[in-house]
Amino acid sequence: MISAQGLGLHHAGNYLFRDVNFTIKKDDKIGLVGKNGAGKSTLLKILSGEINFYEGNVVPEGNITIGFLKQDLDFVKGRTVWDETMQAYEQINAMKNELEEVNHQMATRTDYESDAYSDLIVRMTELNDLLMNHDAYNLEGDVEKVLFGLGFKADDFQKITDEFSGGWRMRIELAKLLLQKNDLMLLDEPTNHLDMESIIWLENFLKDYPGSMLLVSHDKQFMTSICNRTFDVNNKKIDDYKANYSKYLELRKDRKEKLIQAKKNQDAEIKHTEELINKFRASASKASFAQSLIKKLEKIERIEVENEDVSKFNIRFQPSVKPGKVIFEAKNLGKAYGNKQIFDNVDFFVERGDRISLLGQNGQGKTTLAKILAGDIKDYSGEWNLGHNVSIGYFAQNQEEVLTPDKTVLQEAEDSATEETRPRVRDLLGSFLFQGEDVTKKTKVLSGGERNRLALCKLLLRPFNTLIMDEPTNHLDIQSKEIIKLALQKYEGTLIVISHDREFLQGLSDKIFEFRDGKMKEFLGNIDEYLEYRQKESIREISAERSKLHKEEVEEPKKEEKLREPQPDKTSTTIVSKEHKNIQNKLKKVEEKISELELKIEEFEASFVKENPSEPVLETYNKTKEELDLTLQEWEYLGSQLEN
């Protein structure tokens, strides 16, 4: 499909990668991994055509289409969410417009016997065939499916895009890219602006995507589920593994052992060469030989072995005074910005040692609640009380607001240290991958990932018995995420964490506060149990949104019909209405059956907790689950029939 031959790129005399060769074939779903700065995003830009100053060649096979999720948005002001999303079908829209013009000419011209009129007929036939091949008259169902999956509601479709935040507008851009069905799709951190439900939906969508893709993501579970091949960008080259991310980790161990041995051999050779240089440098007769050895040494490409074993980073949060049993207690808590009520009538109770995840769609109030509890927001309704001896460490989502721009990394860390932790500052910075001259960088030049690592490091330098963490893994690479997760697992205090990263949350919390539709619901259980529950709820919610949307579409023409004269023939309308009603009735029965089967499964699982099931009971339980799967498939089929 597309191949790279001798690909290389250098900046300021240093190569990012060099003499890279690979081929992306049809149906390849490739995960692109490597430490920050290795060149992953740059490679995507080269393949997309955004960067053309490189060595070697990028050769597409045939007339393939390439889609690239850009971070800079260029929306036309005044368009609705629906209209902007429909821009995905630029070619189809152009064909529809041309067909409309051809039909207009055929209706108004009278030179039926002319060659020009015959050409119009031919072009009309061509355009109709092309539109049929592109399934151009059933696009609306695809648009609905993608927008619902990415978290939009039916009420959002006719809102102007200007009303939405940058994160939601990025979802519209992602929706357009998914609908274009390009031969090759390039995705750079597509989950950055998505909540957990949308990430899971996108994961399932991409697994069934008919084209090829190259994906950069720090979400291990997301990559493992989607990708069947892995490119590891390291040491200025790309290692190609014919495996998903989990299998790649296993295969890389063998390759890494060989790399370690090669580095030992190289180090020994370098040491021997340096000894010869020192021996012959002072001798006039051997000076030229020493110079040739120096040049040889300069040309050696040094082998680097990344240290990814996070277990050696024995980092812990500082112990603090023991707080009272109650950490937070809230009654009728609410927050509004102007006329927009974020949440209302929220009650909760947080005890010492609780480990809680705040989950829900973006914009539902998770960060707002975190800021209220951290003391950053003073204006709210209702009340909340802070327990005795509670000391709060708060990790804010936007780190540029909490770091001093002109301080160095070392100064910023030292200013957060206590007398006890000050001697450990450099060691702790090293654990968070700030090594050597990195500590002298000004915080204003740090990348997003570096700012997050520094802010996390600062939290470890002071004693807190309660941590509130708002998206601590944003911009972090996989190794950095594992370092902070290890520290949080060892943490003995109370933890409240906001994250959309499923793998990160596994083993970190045993209680969920779910934010949805202006309310907060408490769920007792871990992230996996919550996601199983949420999957069932999402089926009902999407069904309700579809029904709402199509109900509006059915009712709207009725209003318009009263204005038309004369009234249209009702025969075909009656047939369509009956068919529509029959499908709705079937859908209702299927949804009732889904509820019954889910209830049966819950009863089975509740009984399993009390006693081990017998073979007949277990067999009935499995058959019930199979029946539920088939019923869900029927529900999806009827939903698509209703759309059509």
Side-chain angles (χ1 to χ4, degrees):
M1 179 171 283
I2 191 169
S3 60
Q5 302 164 355
L7 194 63
L9 184 75
H10 63 85
H11 177 68
N14 294 318
Y15 273 93
L16 200 56
F17 39 78
R18 187 175 190 177
D19 197 25
V20 166
N21 300 282
F22 60 82
T23 298
I24 300 173
K25 299 176 182 176
K26 188 179 179 184
D27 300 328
D28 274 345
K29 292 181 170 62
I30 302 169
L32 197 56
V33 302
K35 65 181 182 180
N36 287 347
K40 303 185 296 293
S41 297
T42 302
L43 182 60
L44 294 186
K45 288 178 180 177
I46 289 173
L47 294 177
S48 71
E50 282 204 2
I51 291 178
N52 52 24
F53 47 91
Y54 54 84
E55 297 174 1
N57 298 295
V58 174
V59 184
E61 297 175 9
N63 189 25
I64 66 167
T65 57
I66 299 175
F68 182 33
L69 182 62
K70 298 179 181 178
Q71 300 301 315
D72 52 323
L73 302 177
D74 187 23
F75 287 1
V76 174
K77 288 193 173 184
R79 274 188 190 149
T80 63
V81 170
W82 184 270
D83 290 340
E84 183 60 47
T85 308
M86 287 296 288
Q87 298 306 305
Y89 303 116
E90 186 177 353
Q91 184 182 1
I92 292 173
N93 292 336
M95 285 192 287
K96 282 183 174 180
N97 291 335
E98 186 182 352
L99 181 60
E100 190 176 327
E101 176 60 27
V102 168
N103 285 331
H104 173 72
Q105 288 193 41
M106 289 179 65
T108 55
R109 292 175 62 157
T110 57
D111 54 336
Y112 307 120
E113 305 299 325
S114 68
D115 291 341
Y117 199 86
S118 297
D119 291 342
L120 286 175
I121 295 172
V122 171
R123 186 55 181 160
M124 179 191 71
T125 305
E126 289 175 349
L127 288 169
N128 274 318
D129 288 345
L130 284 168
L131 289 169
M132 291 297 288
N133 289 337
H134 283 85
D135 200 22
Y137 300 106
N138 293 310
L139 302 178
E140 286 78 4
D142 289 342
V143 174
E144 279 180 29
K145 176 184 174 183
V146 171
L147 287 177
F148 282 142
L150 291 176
F152 290 94
K153 297 187 179 296
D155 293 341
D156 295 327
F157 290 0
Q158 297 308 317
K159 290 181 181 176
I160 304 300
T161 59
D162 307 26
E163 299 176 25
F164 291 85
S165 67
W168 281 95
R169 294 173 76 191
M170 187 57 72
R171 293 187 191 211
I172 299 172
E173 192 67 21
L174 177 58
K176 288 158 62 177
L177 181 62
L178 297 178
L179 289 164
Q180 286 170 358
K181 299 178 182 176
N182 291 290
D183 299 311
L184 174 62
M185 186 156 54
L186 307 172
L187 298 171
D188 192 355
E189 292 290 355
T191 63
N192 266 0
H193 300 282
L194 301 184
D195 52 66
M196 195 175 292
E197 287 177 44
S198 298
I199 290 172
I200 294 171
W201 176 87
L202 178 63
E203 183 180 292
N204 291 325
F205 184 96
L206 293 179
K207 279 194 286 190
D208 297 328
Y209 187 74
S212 301
M213 74 179 67
L214 202 55
L215 166 68
V216 176
S217 176
H218 292 143
D219 187 326
K220 293 195 291 187
Q221 194 167 340
F222 187 73
M223 287 227 295
T224 297
S225 180
I226 294 166
C227 299
N228 54 26
R229 192 173 167 193
T230 305
F231 282 0
D232 185 353
V233 186
N234 67 86
N235 288 322
K236 302 180 178 62
K237 64 185 191 321
I238 291 179
D239 292 328
D240 185 1
Y241 294 83
K242 306 294 192 294
N244 69 13
Y245 184 79
S246 294
K247 185 67 176 174
Y248 144 77
L249 291 176
E250 296 174 18
L251 295 172
R252 190 181 54 174
K253 286 182 182 178
D254 297 332
R255 190 174 288 189
K256 188 174 179 181
E257 287 173 6
K258 293 176 182 176
L259 192 65
I260 290 171
Q261 186 57 50
K263 179 170 172 53
K264 285 181 180 177
N265 294 339
Q266 187 187 71
D267 288 345
E269 183 186 348
I270 290 170
K271 184 180 179 182
H272 178 64
T273 305
E274 287 174 341
E275 287 172 353
L276 288 176
I277 291 169
N278 292 332
K279 180 179 178 181
F280 297 130
R281 181 178 279 160
S283 171
S285 60
K286 301 286 187 179
S288 61
F289 179 57
Q291 286 300 318
S292 66
L293 288 176
I294 291 171
K295 289 178 181 178
K296 177 186 173 183
L297 201 61
E298 289 173 348
K299 290 179 181 179
I300 292 178
E301 286 280 351
R302 304 294 174 110
I303 297 172
E304 295 178 13
V305 180
E306 294 178 30
N307 189 352
E308 291 149 342
D309 181 13
V310 299
S311 61
K312 80 177 189 68
F313 297 116
N314 188 26
I315 56 175
R316 290 180 178 273
F317 287 92
Q318 294 299 303
S320 177
V321 294
K322 186 176 181 180
K325 185 178 180 182
V326 177
I327 302 298
F328 299 117
E329 184 176 10
K331 293 180 180 178
N332 297 321
L333 193 63
K335 174 60 183 172
Y337 292 102
N339 295 325
K340 184 175 176 60
Q341 188 74 38
I342 305 300
F343 56 78
D344 201 12
N345 298 320
V346 168
D347 299 331
F348 62 84
F349 189 82
V350 179
E351 291 186 274
R352 181 180 63 235
D354 275 352
R355 303 176 75 82
I356 301 168
S357 294
L358 306 188
L359 300 179
Q361 290 183 324
N362 292 342
Q364 292 291 321
K366 304 184 297 295
T367 293
T368 300
L369 178 62
K371 287 183 175 180
I372 289 173
L373 298 181
D376 283 6
I377 292 179
K378 311 288 186 185
D379 178 24
Y380 51 83
S381 59
E383 62 178 274
W384 73 277
N385 298 309
L386 184 66
H388 177 65
N389 267 350
V390 175
S391 57
I392 300 171
Y394 175 47
F395 178 89
Q397 191 175 138
N398 299 317
Q399 291 308 317
E400 61 272 11
E401 298 175 6
V402 296
L403 298 178
T404 307
D406 290 322
K407 283 185 180 177
T408 65
V409 169
L410 182 60
Q411 288 170 338
E412 188 78 30
E414 285 179 337
D415 289 350
S416 295
T418 62
E419 288 299 320
E420 292 179 352
T421 61
R422 192 174 298 278
R424 296 183 54 233
V425 167
R426 282 186 177 271
D427 289 341
L428 203 52
L429 284 172
S431 296
F432 278 92
L433 312 181
F434 290 106
Q435 296 164 345
E437 295 181 359
D438 291 341
V439 300
T440 62
K441 285 183 180 177
K442 294 284 182 72
T443 64
K444 63 185 176 185
V445 303
L446 298 181
S447 67
E450 288 171 327
R451 283 200 298 270
N452 272 24
R453 282 192 269 122
L454 179 55
L456 289 166
C457 182
K458 287 172 61 178
L459 278 182
L460 286 153
L461 289 165
R462 300 189 73 83
F464 301 108
N465 54 40
T466 300
L467 291 177
I468 301 174
M469 315 285 280
D470 190 357
E471 296 286 2
T473 63
N474 268 4
H475 310 293
L476 293 187
D477 57 28
I478 289 170
Q479 185 181 8
S480 299
K481 285 201 297 186
E482 289 176 351
I483 290 170
I484 191 59
K485 180 174 179 176
L486 197 64
L488 288 173
Q489 285 175 327
K490 296 174 186 174
Y491 180 59
E492 296 177 356
T494 303
L495 175 65
I496 297 175
V497 59
I498 301 171
S499 178
H500 298 309
D501 189 321
R502 292 160 290 170
E503 193 274 336
F504 179 75
L505 289 176
Q506 285 170 347
L508 276 189
S509 63
D510 48 25
K511 189 185 292 186
I512 310 292
F513 285 177
E514 181 194 52
F515 288 75
R516 185 172 295 274
D517 300 326
K519 304 296 177 185
M520 194 198 82
K521 184 192 294 184
E522 186 173 326
F523 179 89
L524 294 176
N526 60 33
I527 183 64
D528 293 325
E529 292 166 332
Y530 167 77
L531 289 176
E532 188 177 342
Y533 151 79
R534 191 86 290 299
Q535 186 178 20
K536 297 173 184 176
E537 290 297 305
S538 295
I539 290 170
R540 297 190 182 97
E541 288 165 6
I542 291 177
S543 175
E545 285 295 317
R546 279 179 170 162
S547 299
K548 178 180 178 182
L549 185 67
H550 290 292
K551 184 180 178 183
E552 290 171 356
E553 289 176 353
V554 170
E555 288 175 352
E556 194 64 32
K558 288 180 180 177
K559 295 176 186 176
E560 294 175 1
E561 282 172 4
K562 294 177 182 178
L563 304 176
R564 295 186 193 142
E565 292 293 341
Q567 291 292 325
D569 176 55
K570 296 182 180 178
T571 309
S572 60
T573 309
T574 304
I575 295 169
V576 173
S577 297
K578 283 182 179 178
E579 187 179 354
H580 192 277
K581 193 171 182 179
N582 286 337
I583 295 172
Q584 280 188 322
N585 289 336
K586 287 180 183 177
L587 199 58
K588 186 177 179 182
K589 289 178 182 177
V590 168
E591 286 171 352
E592 289 172 357
K593 188 177 179 181
I594 288 171
S595 298
E596 290 172 7
L597 291 170
E598 286 175 345
L599 187 60
K600 283 183 183 179
I601 289 169
E602 287 173 6
E603 289 171 354
F604 274 120
E605 291 173 348
S607 69
F608 295 166
V609 175
K610 298 175 184 175
E611 58 181 354
N612 291 329
S614 63
E615 286 295 327
V617 171
L618 199 58
E619 186 178 346
T620 307
Y621 168 71
N622 289 328
K623 284 182 178 178
T624 307
K625 289 187 77 174
E626 289 173 7
E627 188 179 358
L628 177 60
D629 289 339
L630 291 171
T631 310
L632 288 170
Q633 290 176 22
E634 185 182 359
W635 174 84
E636 288 181 359
Y637 171 75
L638 289 170
S640 64
Q641 289 290 100
L642 195 63
E643 291 170 6
N644 293 333

